[in-house]
Amino acid sequence: MSFLPGTGRIMSATLILALSSCSMAPAYKPPAMASTASFKEAPGWQPARPADDVAKGEWWKLFADPVLDGLEAKVAASNQNVAAFAAAYAQARAAVRETRASLFPSVDLSAGGTRAGTFGNGTTTIIGSNGTTSSSGSGSRRYSVNLGATWEPDVFGRISSGLRQQKALAQASEGDLLNATLAAQGELASNYVQLRGLDQQKIVYQETIAAYERALKITSNRYDQGQVARVDVLQAQTQLANARATSADIDRQRAAFEHAIAVLIGESPSSFALPAAPWSRAVPDVPGILPGTVLERRPDIAAAERRVAAANQGIGVERAAFFPTFGLTGDIGTQTSRLGSLFTAASSIWSLGVTSALTLLDFGARSARVAQARASFDQAAANYRQTTLTAVQQVEDELAATRVLRTVAEQRSAAATAANRVEQLTQNQYLSGLIVYTDVITAQATALNARQQAIQATVDRQVSAITLVQAIGGAWPTPAP
């Protein structure tokens, strides 16, 4: 098969330009951020070596709770929010493959067969390949097969910039998926420790209700003996009824957390149940990191940075519109009136062409699109900086909370111990006739509140540890040898 005169040179020149295509996108550098040597709220918080499983991202194992481990394993597989982000990531990867395909020619194959004739006594003239003519009243047949190809060489980098843009967006989508997974895992762990705290609150109230029932019986007996007034019995009844009401409300709160956990692991709240279990007061120590490491670890920061890179390539796509586009087309096929001679050399035809297009006047439309792309880059950069600042703020907040809540828990525990002792002493004094029953009621209420506050302080520490893990990215890099 021969080419049209000069076509080979045109194709060669176009191919060379395509292979040496330049990018119109500006040189990319991630937006600069100020960094410090340590966190203000924990200046001595240095990197530590966590357990191997924690280094792989299973940070919840710091709590050493097998039930929590089993629930967390279901999040990545069954959580529907995570599944939605996984689907979005799959779409982004498919978009990369679609854009990459634009760098290569597209090939089409077509085939057809027609028959033409006249009505009545008319005849159809058929011209043969050797120049002879014949007439037929039954019509004519034509068969054809055609193989065509088109290709747009990426001379000025428009397609390659678009491909790099799609790759960056896919990486951002992956960051979104990791961030959604981390958020679901953190929410599950937080709900779980709060549910276990309520289980402990329930135990406290069960013990308290039993104590109040004994106190009511003692007071009623003393009233029957004429030793105390009726008001003492009424106060004991009031105290007992309030305790029973609060205990019932704990069941409501626990049910809400149980339902939330079911949804997080992708199960129906109607069929999911989480039996009561012993409460672990353990508060794990979160291995430290340095401030600059937050930028490398947090998936939301990584996603924001990749969107900046995508916006930078978007500038290149729009700038490439100022330059011409080139296209190559080629066809080879065969046409004949007899099916048996469809693929003979005498019936073959071919064509080859080169096209070029350039917009000469658009009254500033292309310039406006470039300006839009630059503004989109500035917006993405600002979002990246804001995401980074917010991440550092969250780490500082949780470091402060971790430090303060440790002191709070210690003081709450001491207060509960003292309040329990006061409650016991006042009951003895009341039985000895030294104080009135109002003093007993006050001591009981104070002791119950102190026990509740001690439990809640420990739960708050556990939730703060979980939030701190999320704030630093959820997993620790494996230490270098």
Side-chain angles (χ1 to χ4, degrees):
M1 182 173 64
S2 60
F3 293 95
L4 295 175
T7 304
R9 292 190 296 271
I10 296 174
M11 289 186 61
S12 300
T14 306
L15 181 60
I16 293 173
L17 287 173
L19 295 176
S20 61
S21 62
C22 57
S23 174
M24 296 291 105
Y28 175 68
K29 291 182 179 179
M33 289 295 300
S35 62
T36 57
S38 63
F39 289 102
K40 181 181 70 173
E41 298 294 344
W45 199 47
Q46 296 297 324
R49 183 187 180 93
D52 290 339
D53 52 0
V54 176
K56 296 175 183 177
E58 298 177 339
W59 52 266
W60 51 86
K61 291 190 174 181
L62 291 169
F63 288 89
D65 190 321
V67 177
L68 178 59
D69 295 345
L71 293 172
E72 290 287 359
K74 298 180 180 179
V75 171
S78 303
N79 183 273
Q80 295 307 298
N81 285 334
V82 173
F85 279 98
Y89 178 44
Q91 293 177 38
R93 294 176 63 187
V96 172
R97 296 194 298 271
E98 179 185 9
T99 305
R100 183 185 292 115
S102 301
L103 293 172
F104 304 95
S106 62
V107 180
D108 302 306
L109 175 65
S110 61
T114 62
R115 179 175 180 177
T118 61
F119 294 104
N121 296 324
T123 60
T124 301
T125 301
I126 302 174
I127 301 176
S129 58
N130 57 359
T132 62
T133 62
S134 63
S135 298
S136 173
S138 61
S140 62
R141 295 179 175 86
R142 301 296 293 175
Y143 303 98
S144 65
V145 175
N146 187 72
L147 182 67
T150 60
W151 181 39
E152 179 185 341
D154 190 27
V155 179
F156 296 102
R158 180 183 64 83
I159 299 176
S160 57
S161 291
L163 176 59
R164 285 189 287 269
Q165 183 182 37
Q166 291 298 328
K167 286 182 177 179
L169 290 175
Q171 292 168 339
S173 182
E174 181 183 16
D176 292 339
L177 171 59
L178 295 175
N179 192 55
T181 305
L182 175 60
Q185 292 169 340
E187 186 178 357
L188 172 61
S190 178
N191 289 341
Y192 180 81
V193 298
Q194 291 182 80
L195 181 143
R196 291 306 182 205
L198 289 174
D199 286 344
Q200 185 62 28
Q201 295 273 16
K202 187 69 175 181
I203 294 174
V204 168
Y205 266 91
Q206 289 173 343
E207 296 172 349
T208 300
I209 289 171
Y212 286 0
E213 288 174 342
R214 291 192 299 269
L216 175 60
K217 184 176 182 180
I218 293 173
T219 305
S220 297
N221 292 337
R222 298 191 68 189
Y223 170 72
D224 293 339
Q225 296 170 3
Q227 296 179 0
V228 298
R230 175 67 175 170
V231 68
D232 290 1
V233 177
L234 295 176
Q235 288 178 326
Q237 291 174 341
T238 302
Q239 190 86 331
L240 176 59
N242 285 333
R244 286 172 174 169
T246 304
S247 178
D249 190 64
I250 289 176
D251 294 336
R252 176 192 62 81
Q253 298 177 53
R254 188 189 192 279
F257 281 117
E258 188 178 68
H259 300 161
I261 291 173
V263 172
L264 286 168
I265 62 175
E267 296 188 15
S268 171
S270 300
S271 58
F272 176 79
L274 192 60
W279 177 49
S280 173
R281 295 176 178 266
V283 179
D285 291 326
V286 179
I289 64 169
L290 298 178
T293 313
V294 174
L295 277 66
E296 303 171 2
R297 296 166 44 85
R298 296 247 317 205
D300 56 340
I301 294 179
E305 186 276 329
R306 288 290 81 198
R307 288 188 169 89
V308 179
N312 185 74
Q313 293 299 326
I315 297 175
V317 172
E318 299 302 334
R319 290 175 63 180
F322 284 95
F323 299 90
T325 60
F326 298 92
L328 293 177
T329 60
D331 293 276
I332 184 172
T334 178
Q335 295 183 8
T336 181
S337 60
R338 294 191 301 272
L339 189 61
S341 60
L342 185 60
F343 295 101
T344 60
S347 61
S348 299
I349 59 173
W350 63 268
S351 67
L352 186 65
V354 179
T355 62
S356 178
L358 174 64
T359 301
L360 297 179
L361 183 63
D362 62 3
F363 299 97
R366 285 171 295 176
S367 298
R369 287 193 292 270
V370 172
Q372 292 177 35
R374 292 187 182 279
S376 178
F377 173 84
D378 294 338
Q379 180 185 24
N383 289 337
Y384 167 76
R385 294 189 182 96
Q386 184 61 40
T387 302
T388 302
L389 292 173
T390 301
V392 175
Q393 175 195 0
Q394 290 172 346
V395 176
E396 293 282 10
D397 289 346
E398 296 310 318
L399 287 173
T402 299
R403 183 185 70 251
V404 173
L405 288 175
R406 181 184 296 109
T407 302
V408 170
E410 292 171 354
Q411 297 303 314
R412 295 294 189 194
S413 178
T417 300
N420 290 337
R421 181 60 178 161
V422 170
E423 180 184 23
Q424 182 180 5
L425 292 174
T426 55
Q427 288 175 343
N428 295 336
Q429 290 174 340
Y430 173 71
L431 294 176
S432 301
L434 299 177
I435 59 175
V436 297
Y437 196 72
T438 303
D439 296 333
V440 177
I441 294 295
T442 302
Q444 288 176 334
T446 301
L448 176 58
N449 183 68
R451 290 192 290 269
Q452 287 181 288
Q453 294 293 334
I455 294 172
Q456 189 59 48
T458 302
V459 172
D460 289 343
R461 288 190 65 197
Q462 291 177 327
V463 172
S464 179
I466 294 169
T467 309
L468 178 57
V469 168
Q470 290 180 280
I472 63 175
W476 290 266
T478 302

